[in-house]
Amino acid sequence: MNFCYDCGSKLEKRIPDGDNLERDCCTECDSIHYTNPKVIVGTIPTKDNKVLLCKRAIQPRYGLWTLPAGFLENGETIEEGAFRETKEETNTEVKMGNLYAIFNIPQINQVYMLHLAEVIHEDYGKTSESLEVEFFAEKDIPWEELAFPFVPTTLKNFFKDSKKGEYPLRTQIIERKPR
Ligand SMILES: [Zn+2]
């Protein structure tokens, strides 16, 4: 960020009084522009112990399989955002379940929050964001073609928990290797 959202003047990085981190501070008005982590919301859409996965039609990771997820929008609850993202990527309106997984990814300033969801209609299918949308049983998951580290971790936990029929909230940290 180079210019103030409020008055358009130049910003400088400095530690404001009473703070302990450098912030983008306006050189003309008193505005301080904070940047904070982004929240990504999504679901694990299931039916009969199979999981609905999406083959990405967009970059990054074009052509790889993922769980439906995307950035939370202003004014949404995490549940509303997860429902919307699932509809955008799988075309179907799921029945939302409990919050199941939280991933902290501090290196890229992201927090993932994934809900369980039940697929209750037969209208799932490809969308502008997904080349293919298909159910996979555990043995058929394309483990070598999954898009992001949170996907295999979530799927492994899900199939393990599904054997007991109990789905405790799982919170994890994903470490990304420096590039
Ligand atoms: Zn300003």
Side-chain angles (χ1 to χ4, degrees), residues 4 7 26 29:
C4 178
C7 75
C26 183
C29 74

Side-chain angles (χ1 to χ4, degrees), residues 20-72:
N20 54 12
L21 292 174
E22 274 197 339
R23 310 288 183 186
D24 289 321
C25 298
C26 183
T27 52
E28 292 297 327
C29 74
D30 291 333
S31 293
I32 303 168
H33 300 278
Y34 298 91
T35 58
N36 298 97
K38 293 219 185 300
V39 177
I40 288 110
V41 290
T43 61
I44 302 113
T46 64
K47 188 181 182 184
D48 301 332
N49 219 27
K50 292 180 178 176
V51 178
L52 196 61
L53 296 180
C54 315
K55 194 174 201 175
R56 289 175 63 81
I58 44 179
Q59 294 291 358
R61 320 284 168 103
Y62 179 96
L64 296 179
W65 294 90
T66 190
L67 291 161
F71 291 108
L72 183 64

Side-chain angles (χ1 to χ4, degrees), residues 99-150:
L99 181 62
Y100 175 63
I102 300 176
F103 292 99
N104 294 279
I105 316 181
Q107 285 103 325
I108 54 170
N109 305 317
Q110 292 182 348
V111 177
Y112 278 68
M113 304 185 86
L114 304 171
H115 279 76
L116 295 171
E118 195 184 334
V119 179
I120 49 173
H121 304 298
E122 297 294 325
D123 58 355
Y124 60 86
K126 64 179 181 180
T127 70
S128 58
E129 299 183 21
S130 305
L131 301 168
E132 292 174 52
V133 175
E134 274 183 42
F135 274 112
F136 290 91
E138 183 174 13
K139 65 178 176 50
D140 301 321
I141 298 280
W143 296 104
E144 303 304 316
E145 297 163 48
L146 299 177
F148 302 102
F150 85 92

